[in-house]
Amino acid sequence: DIQMTQSPSSLSASVGDRVTISCRASQGITNSLAWYQQIPGKVPKLLIYAASTLQSGVPSRFSGSGSGTDFTLTISSLQPEDVATYYCQRYNSVPSTFGQGTKVEIK
Amino acid sequence: EVQLLESGGGLEQPGGSLRLSCAASGFTFSTYAMSWVRQAPGKGLEWVSSINGGNSDTFYTDSVRGRFRISRDNSKDTLYLQMSGLRAEDTAVYYCAKSRGSYGSASDVWGQGTMVTVSS
């Protein structure tokens, strides 16, 4: 199975900082990658699909990049409402797999 | 408004069975693949199973294949997960999720989840 490895597992940054989260696939997955945000106690929310396409209604400070095995989620200016755990997911084949998550906190 | 509402969770003994349901509204249910994703307490997300909309092809993670069965009733706009041979490690919140298209696309709408606890 293709494994998805996220880094870091957690980070703490100040409001307004640029934040980047990495997701690496153990094999190439073209651009079949999504990013989700899960605010504590809430349901996962789709942010990005096809590696770089912003889901409707998601603030433009979120962006995604990458293809093949290496992908990045960037928050251009961290806001207090962005405190959450972020997951990548590959969906190109069975089984679909999620990364282990990256917890983002405000410093 | 697109909505998914899960039901059927609860406490079950090891080896027991449960059937989860997910009632969909606000979109053409039969057009889209649907999935079940679970989250054990304090843990990350785990994809469990998916079913395509048109041909109802089904897909499972290895740990549930042969024990769980995903199905859908497009006339009732409802997704199901029949769970049998339950194990303690199946304890989790189970989310129903709508795909953006067929299997092989991201999940753009999620239900609120239903808790399944497997314990004696």
Side-chain angles (χ1 to χ4, degrees):
Chain A
D1 293 351
I2 300 175
Q3 305 302 315
M4 306 301 294
T5 303
Q6 284 183 236
S7 61
S9 56
S10 65
L11 66 89
S12 181
S14 299
V15 172
D17 281 356
R18 183 181 184 88
V19 168
T20 60
I21 299 170
S22 173
C23 180
R24 175 165 289 180
S26 59
Q27 299 175 37
I29 60 169
T30 60
N31 70 336
S32 298
L33 186 103
W35 289 97
Y36 299 88
Q37 174 195 60
Q38 188 175 33
I39 294 170
K42 301 294 187 181
V43 172
K45 173 187 174 182
L46 177 64
L47 298 176
I48 302 280
Y49 62 92
S52 60
T53 303
L54 195 68
Q55 172 70 357
S56 176
V58 174
S60 58
R61 63 180 179 274
F62 292 94
S63 64
S65 64
S67 183
T69 59
D70 291 307
F71 302 87
T72 301
L73 174 70
T74 299
I75 308 173
S76 60
S77 177
L78 186 68
Q79 299 302 303
E81 60 265 34
D82 300 334
V83 169
T85 299
Y86 294 84
Y87 296 93
C88 63
Q89 180 204 21
R90 68 154 192 94
Y91 48 79
N92 63 315
S93 63
V94 179
S96 175
T97 45
F98 288 88
Q100 78 276 21
T102 296
K103 187 174 183 179
V104 174
E105 299 176 323
I106 300 290
K107 193 180 293 183
Chain B
E1 181 188 4
V2 176
Q3 281 192 320
L4 300 172
L5 184 62
E6 302 97 334
S7 60
L11 174 64
E12 184 57 66
Q13 293 187 343
S17 299
L18 279 174
R19 188 175 84 155
L20 306 184
S21 299
C22 172
S25 60
F27 64 101
T28 306
F29 180 72
S30 60
T31 302
Y32 297 92
M34 298 292 296
S35 299
W36 290 98
V37 175
R38 67 186 179 185
Q39 187 168 34
K43 303 297 184 182
L45 301 173
E46 180 186 20
W47 174 79
V48 174
S49 181
S50 297
I51 183 169
N52 266 333
N55 59 16
S56 291
D57 283 345
T58 58
F59 311 91
Y60 299 92
T61 192
D62 285 348
S63 63
V64 309
R65 187 176 292 112
R67 300 189 298 123
F68 291 8
R69 191 173 78 90
I70 191 172
S71 62
R72 63 193 299 159
D73 186 336
N74 289 337
S75 69
K76 296 182 178 179
D77 291 350
T78 302
L79 175 72
Y80 302 100
L81 186 67
Q82 179 68 48
M83 311 165 67
S84 59
L86 284 165
R87 305 167 180 168
E89 54 265 35
D90 295 319
T91 295
V93 174
Y94 283 73
Y95 295 104
C96 163
K98 168 190 167 291
S99 293
R100 295 186 64 255
S102 59
Y103 179 81
S105 53
S107 295
D108 60 351
V109 181
W110 295 62
Q112 290 300 308
T114 186
M115 183 71 203
V116 171
T117 302
V118 183
S119 175
S120 55

